[in-house]
């Protein structure tokens, strides 16, 4: 039996506000049914002046079982897609759904690489009880993660207190657009942390180049991640932020690709890498009063 069948009258005040909204769109009749075998319901509405006929309502009721089966598959697929995107990221989720679940499955990518790390992480863990610390940590990530996605980046991993993200590009000969998006995201996240009075400070290292997006592990436990020398460079650049008292440092390659004003901070050696690396900071933008 239907859970609710109701006439919708134009200009009338209905028991449920949604009916007022439907009336404004020309609806005349509403029917809501529980779906057999599912924790949900379906609502149907008509604009026909005479509303639903008894025959039409009967046909809808007879169709509920078949419709419930169809919707059950669709809802489960939506849940799987949402969970995969949330827990492993969009790119890994696409690879998993395409069956790329063998150890060693890999594809080459290129673009900007973001590596950020919270400063004084251990001190924060000791100064707060676990519930308070997790709340503050999630508040920090809310300052950073949405902004990365707003600039068409993707967070691939939380490594303890660190964030690894990529800003992929389709043109390996011109990474300028990807680098500018990554830099804009880094600057916006720093401003968001100040605006929201985040208790966590951080350093961000930005680099650019080719990297491998691959499936690593064993058949018992697999993980998609980015590997390659350029990822190591981004992590090593971030590690210099504290010593050089900078919240954001960029490689020379990144600055050249971005084509935006930057100032040389220092030329340093990066742990485990040969040669000196020139590290740059952006020319600070003036914050509006």
């Amino acid at each position: 039996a239907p859970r609710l069948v109701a006439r919708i009258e134009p200009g009338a005040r209905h028991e449920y506000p949604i009916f007022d909204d439907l009336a404004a769109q020309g609806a005349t009749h509403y029917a809501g049914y529980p779906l057999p075998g599912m924790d949900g319901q379906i609502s149907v509405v008509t604009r026909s002046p005479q509303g639903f006929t008894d025959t039409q309502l009967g046909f809808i009721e007879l169709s509920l079982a078949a419709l419930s089966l169809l919707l059950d598959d669709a809802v489960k697929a939506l849940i799987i897609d949402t969970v995969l995107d949330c827990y492993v990221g969009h790119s890994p989720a696409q690879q998993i759904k395409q069956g790329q679940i063998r150890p060693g499955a890999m594809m080459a990518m290129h673009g900007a690489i973001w590596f950020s790390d919270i400063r004084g992480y251990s001190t924060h863990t000791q100064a707060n009880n676990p519930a308070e610390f997790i709340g503050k940590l999630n508040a920090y990530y809310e300052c950073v993660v949405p902004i990365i996605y707003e600039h068409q980046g993707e967070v691939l991993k939380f490594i303890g207190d660190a964030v690894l993200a990529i800003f992929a590009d389709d043109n390996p000969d011109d990474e300028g657009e990807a680098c500018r998006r990554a830099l804009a995201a880094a600057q916006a996240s720093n401003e968001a942390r100040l605006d929201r009075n985040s208790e966590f400070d951080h350093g961000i290292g930005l680099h650019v180049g080719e990297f491998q997006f691959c499936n690593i592990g064993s058949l018992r436990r697999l993980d998609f991640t980015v590997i390659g020398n350029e990822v190591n460079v981004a992590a090593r650049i971030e590690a210099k932020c504290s010593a050089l008292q900078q919240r954001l440092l960029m490689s020379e390659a990144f600055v050249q690709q971005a084509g935006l004003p930057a100032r040389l901070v220092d030329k340093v050696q990066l742990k485990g890498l040969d040669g000196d690396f020139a590290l740059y900071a952006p020319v600070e933008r003036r914050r509006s009063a």
Side-chain angles (χ1 to χ4, degrees):
R3 189 171 74 91
L4 176 64
V5 175
R7 287 282 182 177
I8 299 175
E9 305 293 341
R13 298 285 293 181
H14 299 89
E15 180 180 1
Y16 301 103
I18 185 63
F19 290 172
D20 296 335
D21 297 334
L22 291 171
Q25 299 176 46
T28 59
H29 208 175
Y30 169 96
Y33 298 87
L35 288 170
M38 290 186 65
D39 183 18
Q41 68 174 51
I42 185 170
S43 299
V44 289
V45 177
T46 182
R47 290 191 180 95
S48 172
Q50 70 269 21
F52 291 114
T53 65
D54 290 341
T55 300
Q56 289 171 333
L57 290 175
F59 179 78
I60 292 172
E61 291 182 34
L62 289 173
S63 304
L64 290 177
L67 184 60
S68 182
L69 290 173
L70 292 173
L71 288 178
D72 187 49
D73 286 342
V75 169
K76 286 178 180 177
L78 178 61
I79 291 172
I80 290 172
D81 288 350
T82 302
V83 170
L84 281 174
D85 279 2
C86 181
Y87 279 92
V88 303
H90 181 71
S91 294
Q94 294 302 310
Q95 294 295 306
I96 291 169
K97 286 183 285 187
Q98 291 170 15
Q100 298 294 336
I101 54 175
R102 295 176 294 103
M106 180 180 70
M107 63 178 177
M109 301 178 72
H110 45 82
I113 305 165
W114 160 312
F115 195 93
S116 61
D117 200 8
I118 294 174
R119 294 178 180 173
Y121 185 80
S122 297
T123 302
H124 284 293
T125 60
Q126 296 171 25
N128 297 273
N129 67 51
E132 290 175 340
F133 177 73
I134 292 298
K136 292 176 180 179
L137 189 61
N138 283 333
Y140 160 78
Y141 284 133
E142 278 298 324
C143 288
V144 175
V145 174
I147 289 173
I148 291 174
Y149 282 93
E150 286 167 11
H151 290 81
Q152 292 79 58
E154 179 170 6
V155 173
L156 287 186
K157 240 179 209 325
F158 297 109
I159 310 168
D161 56 328
V163 175
L164 172 62
I166 59 171
F167 296 77
D169 199 302
D170 293 330
N171 184 358
D173 298 321
D174 183 4
E175 311 283 12
E177 192 255 341
C179 290
R180 287 187 287 273
R181 286 190 279 112
L183 177 55
Q187 292 176 307
S189 71
N190 281 336
E191 291 184 0
R193 285 191 318 98
L194 294 174
D195 291 339
R196 301 181 192 181
N197 296 315
S198 172
E199 292 194 24
F200 294 113
D201 200 358
H202 67 186
I204 302 174
L206 296 177
H207 186 45
V208 64
E210 183 172 302
F211 42 89
Q212 288 70 48
F213 185 57
C214 61
N215 207 353
I216 62 172
S218 74
L219 291 176
R220 287 293 300 272
R221 178 65 171 88
L222 290 169
D223 195 10
F224 276 92
T225 191
V226 169
I227 63 171
N229 183 65
E230 310 308 334
V231 178
N232 292 335
V233 172
R236 299 294 185 248
I237 290 172
E238 186 284 321
K240 290 293 182 181
C241 285
S242 182
L244 297 176
Q245 298 183 333
Q246 300 293 323
R247 287 191 175 92
L248 171 59
L249 287 172
M250 305 171 288
S251 68
E252 186 168 17
F254 183 95
V255 169
Q256 290 175 348
Q257 289 281 1
L260 297 172
R263 58 182 177 83
L264 177 65
V265 175
D266 202 353
K267 290 187 176 182
V268 300
Q269 285 192 322
L270 299 180
K271 183 179 178 181
L273 301 172
D274 295 331
D276 290 338
F277 287 79
L279 301 183
Y280 293 80
V283 175
E284 294 295 334
R285 300 183 298 180
R286 289 187 176 181
R287 285 171 58 85
S288 57

